[in-house]
Amino acid sequence: MLRYVLFAGENYYPAGGMQDCKGCFNTIREAIEALSGRADWMNILDSRTGEIFDTKVDRDLNQAWISGSSALAAWADEMDEEAMADITRGP
Protein backbone atom coordinates (compact mmCIF):
# COMPACT_ATOMS: atom_id res chain seq x y z
CA MET A 1 0.00 0.00 0.00
CA LEU A 2 1.27 3.46 -0.88
CA ARG A 3 1.80 5.60 2.20
CA TYR A 4 0.94 9.18 1.18
CA VAL A 5 -2.31 10.49 -0.27
CA LEU A 6 -2.21 13.89 -2.02
CA PHE A 7 -5.20 16.21 -2.03
CA ALA A 8 -5.01 19.58 -3.82
CA GLY A 9 -7.16 22.14 -5.53
CA GLU A 10 -8.08 25.73 -6.18
CA ASN A 11 -9.78 27.92 -3.61
CA TYR A 12 -12.54 28.88 -6.02
CA TYR A 13 -13.22 25.40 -7.43
CA PRO A 14 -12.78 22.78 -4.71
CA ALA A 15 -14.28 19.48 -5.79
CA GLY A 16 -14.55 18.23 -2.22
CA GLY A 17 -13.52 15.00 -0.56
CA MET A 18 -12.06 12.28 -2.73
CA GLN A 19 -12.63 14.37 -5.85
CA ASP A 20 -9.69 16.51 -4.67
CA CYS A 21 -7.50 13.39 -4.39
CA LYS A 22 -4.63 13.53 -6.87
CA GLY A 23 -3.16 10.13 -6.09
CA CYS A 24 -1.22 7.91 -3.70
CA PHE A 25 2.57 7.86 -3.43
CA ASN A 26 5.48 6.14 -1.68
CA THR A 27 7.11 9.40 -0.56
CA ILE A 28 6.13 12.99 0.10
CA ARG A 29 8.60 14.06 -2.59
CA GLU A 30 6.81 11.90 -5.18
CA ALA A 31 3.47 13.42 -4.16
CA ILE A 32 4.74 16.97 -4.57
CA GLU A 33 6.39 16.18 -7.90
CA ALA A 34 3.11 14.71 -9.17
CA LEU A 35 1.23 17.92 -8.40
CA SER A 36 0.65 19.38 -11.83
CA GLY A 37 -1.29 22.42 -12.85
CA ARG A 38 -2.68 25.10 -10.62
CA ALA A 39 -3.25 24.45 -6.94
CA ASP A 40 -3.98 27.02 -4.25
CA TRP A 41 -3.76 24.48 -1.46
CA MET A 42 -2.39 21.02 -0.78
CA ASN A 43 -2.85 18.39 1.92
CA ILE A 44 -0.82 15.21 2.22
CA LEU A 45 -2.20 12.42 4.40
CA ASP A 46 0.26 9.96 5.89
CA SER A 47 -1.87 6.81 5.82
CA ARG A 48 0.48 5.07 8.25
CA THR A 49 0.35 7.65 11.06
CA GLY A 50 -2.78 9.64 10.20
CA GLU A 51 -0.75 12.88 10.16
CA ILE A 52 -1.95 15.54 7.72
CA PHE A 53 0.45 18.04 6.19
CA ASP A 54 -1.64 21.10 5.30
CA THR A 55 -0.35 24.18 3.43
CA LYS A 56 -2.82 26.35 5.36
CA VAL A 57 -1.93 25.05 8.84
CA ASP A 58 1.65 23.73 8.86
CA ARG A 59 3.97 26.74 9.19
CA ASP A 60 7.07 25.11 7.64
CA LEU A 61 5.10 23.63 4.75
CA ASN A 62 3.33 26.95 4.14
CA GLN A 63 6.64 28.81 3.98
CA ALA A 64 8.03 26.24 1.54
CA TRP A 65 4.81 26.40 -0.52
CA ILE A 66 5.12 30.19 -0.82
CA SER A 67 8.87 30.10 -1.51
CA GLY A 68 8.62 27.81 -4.54
CA SER A 69 9.53 24.43 -5.88
CA SER A 70 13.10 24.15 -4.56
CA ALA A 71 12.03 25.02 -1.00
CA LEU A 72 9.09 22.64 -1.30
CA ALA A 73 11.37 19.84 -2.52
CA ALA A 74 13.75 20.45 0.40
CA TRP A 75 10.83 20.31 2.86
CA ALA A 76 9.62 17.07 1.27
CA ASP A 77 13.08 15.50 1.49
CA GLU A 78 13.31 16.43 5.18
CA MET A 79 9.90 14.88 5.92
CA ASP A 80 10.80 11.72 3.99
CA GLU A 81 14.07 11.40 5.94
CA GLU A 82 12.15 11.68 9.22
CA ALA A 83 9.65 9.05 8.07
CA MET A 84 12.47 6.66 7.13
CA ALA A 85 14.14 7.21 10.52
CA ASP A 86 10.84 6.35 12.24
CA ILE A 87 10.54 3.14 10.23
CA THR A 88 14.15 2.20 11.03
CA ARG A 89 13.63 2.79 14.76
CA GLY A 90 10.45 0.74 14.80
CA PRO A 91 7.64 0.87 17.36
Side-chain angles (χ1 to χ4, degrees):
M1 181 175 163
L2 301 175
R3 182 171 178 172
Y4 298 99
V5 184
L6 172 65
F7 296 86
E10 296 181 37
N11 290 332
Y12 291 104
Y13 303 105
M18 288 304 293
Q19 292 180 347
D20 287 328
C21 182
K22 305 303 181 195
C24 299
F25 306 90
N26 286 313
T27 66
I28 293 174
R29 177 74 178 256
E30 288 175 5
I32 288 172
E33 289 175 349
L35 186 60
S36 60
R38 181 169 162 72
D40 294 322
W41 58 271
M42 173 185 69
N43 299 151
I44 299 174
L45 168 67
D46 182 335
S47 65
R48 182 171 179 248
T49 66
E51 185 173 5
I52 298 171
F53 303 98
D54 185 338
T55 54
K56 294 184 178 186
V57 176
D58 185 296
R59 175 184 246 165
D60 293 335
L61 173 55
N62 182 268
Q63 186 60 44
W65 181 258
I66 291 168
S67 297
S69 60
S70 61
L72 197 54
W75 174 86
D77 290 342
E78 182 179 329
M79 294 298 103
D80 287 335
E81 286 177 20
E82 287 180 19
M84 287 305 297
D86 288 344
I87 290 171
T88 304
R89 277 195 297 270

